[in-house]
PDB file of all heavy atoms in Angstrom:
ATOM      1  N   LEU A  17     175.200 130.588 129.671  1.00 89.00           N
ATOM      2  CA  LEU A  17     176.530 130.440 130.271  1.00 89.00           C
ATOM      3  C   LEU A  17     177.025 131.745 130.900  1.00 89.00           C
ATOM      4  O   LEU A  17     177.678 131.752 131.945  1.00 89.00           O
ATOM      5  CB  LEU A  17     177.517 129.948 129.225  1.00 89.00           C
ATOM      6  CG  LEU A  17     177.303 128.500 128.742  1.00 89.00           C
ATOM      7  CD1 LEU A  17     178.235 128.191 127.581  1.00 89.00           C
ATOM      8  CD2 LEU A  17     177.524 127.517 129.889  1.00 89.00           C
ATOM      9  N   ALA A  18     176.705 132.858 130.247  1.00 91.00           N
ATOM     10  CA  ALA A  18     177.121 134.164 130.785  1.00 91.00           C
ATOM     11  C   ALA A  18     176.445 134.439 132.121  1.00 91.00           C
ATOM     12  O   ALA A  18     177.055 134.966 133.060  1.00 91.00           O
ATOM     13  CB  ALA A  18     176.807 135.263 129.785  1.00 91.00           C
ATOM     14  N   ALA A  19     175.143 134.080 132.208  1.00 89.00           N
ATOM     15  CA  ALA A  19     174.426 134.283 133.467  1.00 89.00           C
ATOM     16  C   ALA A  19     175.046 133.445 134.583  1.00 89.00           C
ATOM     17  O   ALA A  19     175.226 133.902 135.723  1.00 89.00           O
ATOM     18  CB  ALA A  19     172.957 133.933 133.293  1.00 89.00           C
ATOM     19  N   THR A  20     175.371 132.181 134.250  1.00 89.00           N
ATOM     20  CA  THR A  20     175.994 131.308 135.260  1.00 89.00           C
ATOM     21  C   THR A  20     177.364 131.837 135.670  1.00 89.00           C
ATOM     22  O   THR A  20     177.717 131.877 136.855  1.00 89.00           O
ATOM     23  CB  THR A  20     176.129 129.888 134.698  1.00 89.00           C
ATOM     24  OG1 THR A  20     174.842 129.402 134.308  1.00 89.00           O
ATOM     25  CG2 THR A  20     176.722 128.956 135.736  1.00 89.00           C
ATOM     26  N   ALA A  21     178.158 132.270 134.680  1.00 89.00           N
ATOM     27  CA  ALA A  21     179.506 132.767 134.978  1.00 89.00           C
ATOM     28  C   ALA A  21     179.484 134.045 135.807  1.00 89.00           C
ATOM     29  O   ALA A  21     180.402 134.306 136.603  1.00 89.00           O
ATOM     30  CB  ALA A  21     180.274 133.001 133.681  1.00 89.00           C
ATOM     31  N   ALA A  22     178.426 134.850 135.636  1.00 89.00           N
ATOM     32  CA  ALA A  22     178.356 136.114 136.378  1.00 89.00           C
ATOM     33  C   ALA A  22     178.349 135.877 137.881  1.00 89.00           C
ATOM     34  O   ALA A  22     178.845 136.707 138.657  1.00 89.00           O
ATOM     35  CB  ALA A  22     177.124 136.896 135.956  1.00 89.00           C
ATOM     36  N   PHE A  23     177.806 134.746 138.304  1.00 87.00           N
ATOM     37  CA  PHE A  23     177.735 134.468 139.740  1.00 87.00           C
ATOM     38  C   PHE A  23     179.079 134.069 140.335  1.00 87.00           C
ATOM     39  O   PHE A  23     179.216 134.019 141.555  1.00 87.00           O
ATOM     40  CB  PHE A  23     176.686 133.379 140.001  1.00 87.00           C
ATOM     41  CG  PHE A  23     175.293 133.926 140.128  1.00 87.00           C
ATOM     42  CD1 PHE A  23     174.528 134.143 139.001  1.00 87.00           C
ATOM     43  CD2 PHE A  23     174.770 134.264 141.362  1.00 87.00           C
ATOM     44  CE1 PHE A  23     173.256 134.667 139.102  1.00 87.00           C
ATOM     45  CE2 PHE A  23     173.488 134.788 141.474  1.00 87.00           C
ATOM     46  CZ  PHE A  23     172.728 134.993 140.336  1.00 87.00           C
ATOM     47  N   GLU A  24     180.057 133.750 139.485  1.00 86.00           N
ATOM     48  CA  GLU A  24     181.381 133.438 140.028  1.00 86.00           C
ATOM     49  C   GLU A  24     181.978 134.630 140.761  1.00 86.00           C
ATOM     50  O   GLU A  24     182.789 134.478 141.671  1.00 86.00           O
ATOM     51  CB  GLU A  24     182.306 132.981 138.893  1.00 86.00           C
ATOM     52  CG  GLU A  24     181.902 131.677 138.239  1.00 86.00           C
ATOM     53  CD  GLU A  24     181.858 130.525 139.225  1.00 86.00           C
ATOM     54  OE1 GLU A  24     182.766 130.450 140.085  1.00 86.00           O
ATOM     55  OE2 GLU A  24     180.913 129.722 139.164  1.00 86.00           O
ATOM     56  N   ALA A  25     181.563 135.826 140.369  1.00 85.00           N
ATOM     57  CA  ALA A  25     182.096 137.033 141.006  1.00 85.00           C
ATOM     58  C   ALA A  25     181.496 137.253 142.394  1.00 85.00           C
ATOM     59  O   ALA A  25     182.123 137.867 143.262  1.00 85.00           O
ATOM     60  CB  ALA A  25     181.841 138.253 140.133  1.00 85.00           C
ATOM     61  N   VAL A  26     180.271 136.751 142.616  1.00 85.00           N
ATOM     62  CA  VAL A  26     179.615 137.010 143.894  1.00 85.00           C
ATOM     63  C   VAL A  26     179.583 135.782 144.797  1.00 85.00           C
ATOM     64  O   VAL A  26     179.252 135.888 145.976  1.00 85.00           O
ATOM     65  CB  VAL A  26     178.173 137.514 143.673  1.00 85.00           C
ATOM     66  CG1 VAL A  26     178.186 138.835 142.924  1.00 85.00           C
ATOM     67  CG2 VAL A  26     177.350 136.485 142.936  1.00 85.00           C
ATOM     68  N   ARG A  27     179.929 134.617 144.252  1.00 84.00           N
ATOM     69  CA  ARG A  27     179.876 133.404 145.065  1.00 84.00           C
ATOM     70  C   ARG A  27     180.767 133.486 146.317  1.00 84.00           C
ATOM     71  O   ARG A  27     180.389 132.983 147.379  1.00 84.00           O
ATOM     72  CB  ARG A  27     180.275 132.196 144.204  1.00 84.00           C
ATOM     73  CG  ARG A  27     180.041 130.847 144.883  1.00 84.00           C
ATOM     74  CD  ARG A  27     180.353 129.693 143.943  1.00 84.00           C
ATOM     75  NE  ARG A  27     179.427 129.664 142.811  1.00 84.00           N
ATOM     76  CZ  ARG A  27     178.225 129.083 142.856  1.00 84.00           C
ATOM     77  NH1 ARG A  27     177.811 128.498 143.966  1.00 84.00           N
ATOM     78  NH2 ARG A  27     177.446 129.097 141.801  1.00 84.00           N
ATOM     79  N   PRO A  28     181.976 134.102 146.267  1.00 85.00           N
ATOM     80  CA  PRO A  28     182.801 134.169 147.486  1.00 85.00           C
ATOM     81  C   PRO A  28     182.311 135.175 148.527  1.00 85.00           C
ATOM     82  O   PRO A  28     182.833 135.212 149.635  1.00 85.00           O
ATOM     83  CB  PRO A  28     184.182 134.595 146.950  1.00 85.00           C
ATOM     84  CG  PRO A  28     184.142 134.380 145.480  1.00 85.00           C
ATOM     85  CD  PRO A  28     182.712 134.589 145.097  1.00 85.00           C
ATOM     86  N   LEU A  29     181.316 136.022 148.183  1.00 85.00           N
ATOM     87  CA  LEU A  29     180.928 137.107 149.096  1.00 85.00           C
ATOM     88  C   LEU A  29     180.375 136.618 150.436  1.00 85.00           C
ATOM     89  O   LEU A  29     180.699 137.200 151.475  1.00 85.00           O
ATOM     90  CB  LEU A  29     179.932 138.036 148.411  1.00 85.00           C
ATOM     91  CG  LEU A  29     180.504 138.861 147.246  1.00 85.00           C
ATOM     92  CD1 LEU A  29     179.439 139.795 146.676  1.00 85.00           C
ATOM     93  CD2 LEU A  29     181.711 139.671 147.704  1.00 85.00           C
ATOM     94  N   PRO A  30     179.528 135.581 150.488  1.00 81.00           N
ATOM     95  CA  PRO A  30     179.055 135.133 151.811  1.00 81.00           C
ATOM     96  C   PRO A  30     180.201 134.707 152.731  1.00 81.00           C
ATOM     97  O   PRO A  30     180.229 135.068 153.918  1.00 81.00           O
ATOM     98  CB  PRO A  30     178.140 133.950 151.467  1.00 81.00           C
ATOM     99  CG  PRO A  30     177.676 134.223 150.087  1.00 81.00           C
ATOM    100  CD  PRO A  30     178.832 134.871 149.400  1.00 81.00           C
ATOM    101  N   GLU A  31     181.167 133.947 152.198  1.00 82.00           N
ATOM    102  CA  GLU A  31     182.313 133.540 153.017  1.00 82.00           C
ATOM    103  C   GLU A  31     183.155 134.744 153.421  1.00 82.00           C
ATOM    104  O   GLU A  31     183.653 134.823 154.559  1.00 82.00           O
ATOM    105  CB  GLU A  31     183.168 132.541 152.258  1.00 82.00           C
ATOM    106  CG  GLU A  31     184.316 131.986 153.081  1.00 82.00           C
ATOM    107  CD  GLU A  31     185.125 130.938 152.340  1.00 82.00           C
ATOM    108  OE1 GLU A  31     184.739 130.559 151.217  1.00 82.00           O
ATOM    109  OE2 GLU A  31     186.137 130.485 152.891  1.00 82.00           O
ATOM    110  N   ALA A  32     183.277 135.704 152.482  1.00 85.00           N
ATOM    111  CA  ALA A  32     184.031 136.914 152.811  1.00 85.00           C
ATOM    112  C   ALA A  32     183.344 137.695 153.926  1.00 85.00           C
ATOM    113  O   ALA A  32     184.012 138.263 154.807  1.00 85.00           O
ATOM    114  CB  ALA A  32     184.176 137.785 151.571  1.00 85.00           C
ATOM    115  N   ALA A  33     182.017 137.707 153.919  1.00 83.00           N
ATOM    116  CA  ALA A  33     181.283 138.407 154.975  1.00 83.00           C
ATOM    117  C   ALA A  33     181.551 137.762 156.330  1.00 83.00           C
ATOM    118  O   ALA A  33     181.781 138.451 157.339  1.00 83.00           O
ATOM    119  CB  ALA A  33     179.790 138.396 154.667  1.00 83.00           C
ATOM    120  N   ARG A  34     181.545 136.434 156.377  1.00 80.00           N
ATOM    121  CA  ARG A  34     181.822 135.740 157.646  1.00 80.00           C
ATOM    122  C   ARG A  34     183.254 135.994 158.097  1.00 80.00           C
ATOM    123  O   ARG A  34     183.507 136.240 159.284  1.00 80.00           O
ATOM    124  CB  ARG A  34     181.584 134.236 157.480  1.00 80.00           C
ATOM    125  CG  ARG A  34     180.119 133.862 157.242  1.00 80.00           C
ATOM    126  CD  ARG A  34     179.888 132.377 157.481  1.00 80.00           C
ATOM    127  NE  ARG A  34     180.801 131.554 156.694  1.00 80.00           N
ATOM    128  CZ  ARG A  34     180.581 131.168 155.443  1.00 80.00           C
ATOM    129  NH1 ARG A  34     179.476 131.568 154.821  1.00 80.00           N
ATOM    130  NH2 ARG A  34     181.439 130.407 154.805  1.00 80.00           N
ATOM    131  N   ASP A  35     184.208 135.935 157.152  1.00 83.00           N
ATOM    132  CA  ASP A  35     185.610 136.187 157.520  1.00 83.00           C
ATOM    133  C   ASP A  35     185.803 137.607 158.028  1.00 83.00           C
ATOM    134  O   ASP A  35     186.578 137.854 158.959  1.00 83.00           O
ATOM    135  CB  ASP A  35     186.518 135.922 156.318  1.00 83.00           C
ATOM    136  CG  ASP A  35     186.609 134.447 155.973  1.00 83.00           C
ATOM    137  OD1 ASP A  35     186.221 133.623 156.826  1.00 83.00           O
ATOM    138  OD2 ASP A  35     187.057 134.119 154.853  1.00 83.00           O
ATOM    139  N   LEU A  36     185.106 138.550 157.396  1.00 86.00           N
ATOM    140  CA  LEU A  36     185.227 139.951 157.802  1.00 86.00           C
ATOM    141  C   LEU A  36     184.728 140.138 159.227  1.00 86.00           C
ATOM    142  O   LEU A  36     185.372 140.828 160.047  1.00 86.00           O
ATOM    143  CB  LEU A  36     184.451 140.849 156.845  1.00 86.00           C
ATOM    144  CG  LEU A  36     184.476 142.355 157.150  1.00 86.00           C
ATOM    145  CD1 LEU A  36     185.907 142.887 157.068  1.00 86.00           C
ATOM    146  CD2 LEU A  36     183.571 143.122 156.196  1.00 86.00           C
ATOM    147  N   LEU A  37     183.606 139.518 159.556  1.00 81.00           N
ATOM    148  CA  LEU A  37     183.063 139.646 160.901  1.00 81.00           C
ATOM    149  C   LEU A  37     183.976 138.964 161.925  1.00 81.00           C
ATOM    150  O   LEU A  37     184.150 139.453 163.041  1.00 81.00           O
ATOM    151  CB  LEU A  37     181.664 139.045 160.954  1.00 81.00           C
ATOM    152  CG  LEU A  37     180.603 139.857 160.188  1.00 81.00           C
ATOM    153  CD1 LEU A  37     179.323 139.057 160.048  1.00 81.00           C
ATOM    154  CD2 LEU A  37     180.321 141.171 160.905  1.00 81.00           C
ATOM    155  N   THR A  38     184.558 137.834 161.545  1.00 79.00           N
ATOM    156  CA  THR A  38     185.508 137.165 162.439  1.00 79.00           C
ATOM    157  C   THR A  38     186.727 138.047 162.689  1.00 79.00           C
ATOM    158  O   THR A  38     187.217 138.166 163.820  1.00 79.00           O
ATOM    159  CB  THR A  38     185.948 135.822 161.835  1.00 79.00           C
ATOM    160  OG1 THR A  38     184.801 134.994 161.650  1.00 79.00           O
ATOM    161  CG2 THR A  38     186.931 135.113 162.750  1.00 79.00           C
ATOM    162  N   ALA A  39     187.220 138.678 161.622  1.00 84.00           N
ATOM    163  CA  ALA A  39     188.363 139.586 161.763  1.00 84.00           C
ATOM    164  C   ALA A  39     188.006 140.779 162.638  1.00 84.00           C
ATOM    165  O   ALA A  39     188.826 141.241 163.444  1.00 84.00           O
ATOM    166  CB  ALA A  39     188.834 140.057 160.390  1.00 84.00           C
ATOM    167  N   HIS A  40     186.764 141.276 162.515  1.00 83.00           N
ATOM    168  CA  HIS A  40     186.344 142.395 163.358  1.00 83.00           C
ATOM    169  C   HIS A  40     186.343 141.989 164.829  1.00 83.00           C
ATOM    170  O   HIS A  40     186.735 142.777 165.706  1.00 83.00           O
ATOM    171  CB  HIS A  40     184.941 142.855 162.948  1.00 83.00           C
ATOM    172  CG  HIS A  40     184.958 143.760 161.753  1.00 83.00           C
ATOM    173  ND1 HIS A  40     183.818 144.117 161.065  1.00 83.00           N
ATOM    174  CD2 HIS A  40     185.968 144.381 161.105  1.00 83.00           C
ATOM    175  CE1 HIS A  40     184.125 144.910 160.062  1.00 83.00           C
ATOM    176  NE2 HIS A  40     185.437 145.081 160.065  1.00 83.00           N
ATOM    177  N   GLY A  41     185.900 140.761 165.098  1.00 77.00           N
ATOM    178  CA  GLY A  41     185.910 140.297 166.482  1.00 77.00           C
ATOM    179  C   GLY A  41     187.319 140.205 167.043  1.00 77.00           C
ATOM    180  O   GLY A  41     187.574 140.605 168.182  1.00 77.00           O
ATOM    181  N   ALA A  42     188.250 139.686 166.235  1.00 80.00           N
ATOM    182  CA  ALA A  42     189.646 139.608 166.675  1.00 80.00           C
ATOM    183  C   ALA A  42     190.240 141.002 166.867  1.00 80.00           C
ATOM    184  O   ALA A  42     190.981 141.258 167.824  1.00 80.00           O
ATOM    185  CB  ALA A  42     190.464 138.810 165.671  1.00 80.00           C
ATOM    186  N   ALA A  43     189.901 141.910 165.948  1.00 84.00           N
ATOM    187  CA  ALA A  43     190.418 143.280 166.052  1.00 84.00           C
ATOM    188  C   ALA A  43     189.903 143.966 167.310  1.00 84.00           C
ATOM    189  O   ALA A  43     190.632 144.722 167.970  1.00 84.00           O
ATOM    190  CB  ALA A  43     190.027 144.080 164.814  1.00 84.00           C
ATOM    191  N   ALA A  44     188.645 143.689 167.670  1.00 82.00           N
ATOM    192  CA  ALA A  44     188.092 144.300 168.881  1.00 82.00           C
ATOM    193  C   ALA A  44     188.840 143.821 170.119  1.00 82.00           C
ATOM    194  O   ALA A  44     189.088 144.594 171.051  1.00 82.00           O
ATOM    195  CB  ALA A  44     186.605 143.966 168.990  1.00 82.00           C
ATOM    196  N   ARG A  45     189.211 142.530 170.127  1.00 79.00           N
ATOM    197  CA  ARG A  45     189.967 142.012 171.270  1.00 79.00           C
ATOM    198  C   ARG A  45     191.347 142.663 171.347  1.00 79.00           C
ATOM    199  O   ARG A  45     191.843 142.988 172.427  1.00 79.00           O
ATOM    200  CB  ARG A  45     190.112 140.497 171.143  1.00 79.00           C
ATOM    201  CG  ARG A  45     188.827 139.741 171.427  1.00 79.00           C
ATOM    202  CD  ARG A  45     188.952 138.276 171.074  1.00 79.00           C
ATOM    203  NE  ARG A  45     190.092 137.638 171.708  1.00 79.00           N
ATOM    204  CZ  ARG A  45     190.127 137.238 172.974  1.00 79.00           C
ATOM    205  NH1 ARG A  45     189.059 137.415 173.735  1.00 79.00           N
ATOM    206  NH2 ARG A  45     191.200 136.666 173.485  1.00 79.00           N
TER     207      ARG A  45
END
């Protein structure tokens, strides 16, 4: 259970990476 729960901390990172890149594109404009 601890191993499974540990991934809750990193599960949002892929979406955060996409949002960050989208924000960078808007900031560049």
